[in-house]
């Protein structure tokens, strides 16, 4: 997964105006206590970050 696809999925899940805000403020234990943005910035693969977001938000399987 590319970074652009990650952000498209985030916007689909949370809306374009909230996705980046949420990604920069919501800390996830699954990402070692980092936000999605911090994990991306640290080099965690976007697919891994997306799966953590997907599980955290309890999104439907169709969005996996």
């Amino acid at each position: 997964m590319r970074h652009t696809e990650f952000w498209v999925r985030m916007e689909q899940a949370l809306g374009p105006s909230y996705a980046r805000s949420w990604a920069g403020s919501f800390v996830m234990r699954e990402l070692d206590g980092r936000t999605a943005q911090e994990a991306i910035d640290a080099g965690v693969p976007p697919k891994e970050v997306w799966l953590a977001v997907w599980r955290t938000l309890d999104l439907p399987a169709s969005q996996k």
Side-chain angles (χ1 to χ4, degrees), residues 12-64:
Q12 289 172 343
L14 296 168
S17 60
Y18 187 53
R20 290 201 184 252
S21 175
W22 188 90
S25 62
F26 191 87
V27 174
M28 289 178 274
R29 180 178 300 156
E30 189 172 345
L31 295 175
D32 296 327
R34 294 181 284 196
T35 67
Q37 184 66 62
E38 289 170 335
I40 291 286
D41 292 346
V44 177
K47 182 68 174 183
E48 186 177 327
V49 178
W50 172 249
L51 290 175
V53 170
W54 178 79
R55 285 187 284 272
T56 299
L57 295 176
D58 196 26
L59 295 171
S62 62
Q63 292 184 349
K64 191 174 184 180

